[in-house]
């Protein structure tokens, strides 16, 4: 079973896809969602997505700092290591791409960490927005959508 639901967040619609294993996709941008929806032909299923939507809403209401959801994470072993480290970055804190590369035991893999970050299909829950450049600048969020990274970090109380 697979289904989706929509959360109307302060930054726009957030589309959450859940299957029998857990959350498998979170889409933050309408254009990406429409392409995914066209290619996948899934149906809305509010009941299946209820807990994920509730926890995302709690995050936006500042009532939740840590997600407690089953996830269906798909990717290479390298990417899974990166995403695991992203999940360890505390609410309101950041880490650099270099720090993540070092944490996974591959300090030269900074670009690959960036690519894994970009390939994260479960943003916010796996907090790729908390990764910044070594110089402290906000870089690399969904191409030209740095505004959302900035908004999420400010929402968490991080001084941008």
């Amino acid at each position: 079973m697979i289904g989706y639901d929509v959360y109307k967040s302060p930054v726009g619609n957030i589309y959450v896809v859940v299957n029998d294993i857990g959350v498998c996709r979170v889409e933050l941008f309408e254009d990406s969602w429409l392409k995914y929806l066209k290619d996948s032909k899934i149906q809305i299923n509010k009941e299946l997505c209820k807990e994920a939507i509730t926890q995302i809403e709690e995050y936006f209401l500042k009532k939740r700092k840590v997600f407690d959801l089953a996830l269906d994470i798909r990717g290479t072993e390298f990417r899974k290591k990166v995403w695991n480290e992203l999940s360890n970055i505390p609410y309101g804190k950041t880490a650099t791409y270099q720090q993540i590369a070092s944490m996974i035991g591959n300090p030269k893999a900074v670009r690959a960490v960036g690519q894994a970050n970009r390939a994260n299909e479960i943003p916010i829950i796996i907090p790729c927005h908390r990764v910044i450049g070594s110089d402290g600048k906000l870089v690399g969020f969904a191409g030209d959508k740095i505004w959302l990274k900035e908004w999420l970090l400010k929402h968490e109380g991080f001084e941008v």
Side-chain angles (χ1 to χ4, degrees), residues 136-150:
K137 291 188 178 174
L138 305 184
V139 293
F141 194 76
D144 62 349
K145 298 182 175 79
I146 294 294
W147 67 267
L148 181 54
K149 183 178 211 164
E150 181 177 5

Side-chain angles (χ1 to χ4, degrees), residues 16-76:
V16 179
V17 181
V18 178
N19 63 25
D20 290 335
I21 298 169
V23 178
C24 56
R25 188 174 202 94
V26 172
E27 280 292 347
L28 304 175
F29 307 106
E30 195 78 23
D31 54 342
S32 299
W33 173 250
L34 292 174
K35 182 181 181 331
Y36 175 79
L37 188 61
K38 177 183 167 204
D39 293 342
S40 65
K41 298 183 175 39
I42 62 172
Q43 300 293 316
I44 196 157
N45 186 328
K46 290 185 178 297
E47 190 57 36
L48 186 62
C49 300
K50 184 177 181 179
E51 184 60 28
I53 294 290
T54 296
Q55 289 193 28
I56 290 171
E57 180 177 42
E58 290 169 351
Y59 168 83
F60 280 100
L61 294 172
K62 294 189 175 194
K63 294 180 178 178
R64 175 171 295 277
K65 294 182 178 182
V66 177
F67 289 93
D68 182 23
L69 294 165
L71 303 177
D72 183 8
I73 301 171
R74 298 176 187 184
T76 65

